[in-house]
Amino acid sequence: MTLHIVNKSPYSSRALADCFASFADGDALLLIEDGVYALTGFIADNIAVAPVYCLEADVRARGLQMPKGIQSLDDTGWVKLCTEHNPIVSWFQ
Amino acid sequence: MKFSLAVYAAPHSSQSAASALRFARTLLEQGHQLYRVFFYCDGVHNGSAIAAPPQDEANLVGQWQALQKQYSLDLVICIAAAQRRGVLNRREAERLERPAANLAEGFELAGLGQLADAVANSDRLVTFGN
Amino acid sequence: MAIKTLAICRRAPYGSALAREGLEAVLAGAAMEQAIDVLFMRDGVFQLMEAQAPDNIEQKNLWRNLQALPMFGVETLYVCESSLTERGIKLDRSRPAGSEIKLIADTGTFIAAYDHVLSF
């Protein structure tokens, strides 16, 4: 099933909303770069899909708390997640 | 597993090109294959030899080149996108009568068919855009 | 089995180069007889406005690229239904000659059926 990768903040981009609208059963979501800002505030409580992963390096780089209930991945885990899903859809705008 | 990457993002403008490099390095370290990296749209700037970032910042072009050397990677820059944006090898610079060539060593200019070929020959395609 | 590729086009034309460069990549794939489909989503549906006339903004008309799609065997253009509704546009007559438009309601299931996805 599809792996969706989102790299934009949900506060400034439609990327995450569009990803939600195209999320099917069995898909997974990975937040990278500014996409990890979805782990803050109102959005964090309203992520309607599962499972959700985030890149630990991007979370730490931005001074955010590691979120509960969301799996953080190192770069090795990122590659592994990509081997487990197909296709891989990047939402970057 | 055989990966290909499509990189649309310029270096030093967004994080995306740096993410692509990290992902490429990690997958190679994990023993996966990188069939091709295809640089398209603003991503063609990753192959500019004349980029000169300050010494205390990551030099993405240099890091791609080092990775290319280590693993004999196929780093392909879309020729049409590169001509528009000013990334030329010597032959193209002469043909188009431009005053300089700036394609970095380790990168190649080729057509969009190389993206289609990468798609056809890879288990996974990951896009890095901005 | 042939590898199936989907190009998701989410950018409006002219404001960004990605709309044009996306279609060029699709045409290149189709020219190599790759099984490639196109899904227009969000602002990407604006690419399908037939009356576009960009002469005075010094850009080439994207409609010409769209018209080339069926010539290279991309005859069905998939369009996200809710993206049209959200923008209040209808594509009753507007379509490149030789192509048909299919509206997709469940884009998630649609996307999951492909081997590779190119995002533009």
Side-chain angles (χ1 to χ4, degrees), chain A residues 31-67:
Chain A
L31 302 167
I32 70 169
E33 304 172 11
D34 284 353
V36 301
Y37 286 121
L39 303 172
T40 71
F42 171 79
I43 308 273
D45 300 326
N46 289 279
I47 292 184
V49 301
V52 181
Y53 302 85
C54 64
L55 282 191
E56 185 177 339
D58 284 328
V59 174
R60 291 203 189 283
R62 287 161 177 78
L64 303 180
Q65 296 284 328
M66 294 309 288

Side-chain angles (χ1 to χ4, degrees), chain C residues 4-20:
Chain C
K4 282 174 65 189
T5 306
L6 177 69
I8 303 181
C9 298
R10 289 169 68 239
R11 278 279 167 101
Y14 310 118
S16 153
L18 202 56
R20 169 174 307 281

